[in-house]
């Protein structure tokens, strides 16, 4: 990942969180229709990928100071 400023990291986290929330809504809608199981699984996988990326970016915001 390229070097990002803390502000850029925070902005990226906000974008990813918005996409994560959007996927939540899409998954909830698909839960009512069991015929779209494959699409639901795809969205859930993307949601997990987003969560991993958000976690990684959040860890970049933590300063590297000895305990």
């Amino acid at each position: 990942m390229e070097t990002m400023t803390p502000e850029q990291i925070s902005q990226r986290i906000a974008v990813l969180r918005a996409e994560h929330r959007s996927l939540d809504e899409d998954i909830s809608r698909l839960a009512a229709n069991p015929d779209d199981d494959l699409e639901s699984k795809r969205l859930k996988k993307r949601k997990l990928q987003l969560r991993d990326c958000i976690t990684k970016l959040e860890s970049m915001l933590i300063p590297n100071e000895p305990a």
Side-chain angles (χ1 to χ4, degrees), residues 11-54:
Q11 289 172 351
R12 183 71 180 140
I13 289 171
V15 168
L16 293 176
R17 283 185 178 155
E19 185 178 348
H20 191 267
R21 279 191 300 275
S22 176
L23 285 174
D24 263 342
E25 294 167 4
D26 293 344
I27 291 168
S28 295
R29 269 196 308 273
L30 286 175
N33 185 3
D35 295 335
D36 288 335
D37 190 44
L38 184 61
E39 180 69 8
S40 178
K41 287 179 181 179
R42 186 185 68 77
L43 293 176
K44 287 177 182 180
K45 184 175 181 179
R46 174 66 181 148
K47 186 178 164 189
L48 287 172
Q49 290 171 337
L50 287 172
R51 173 52 50 200
D52 290 344
C53 189
I54 290 168

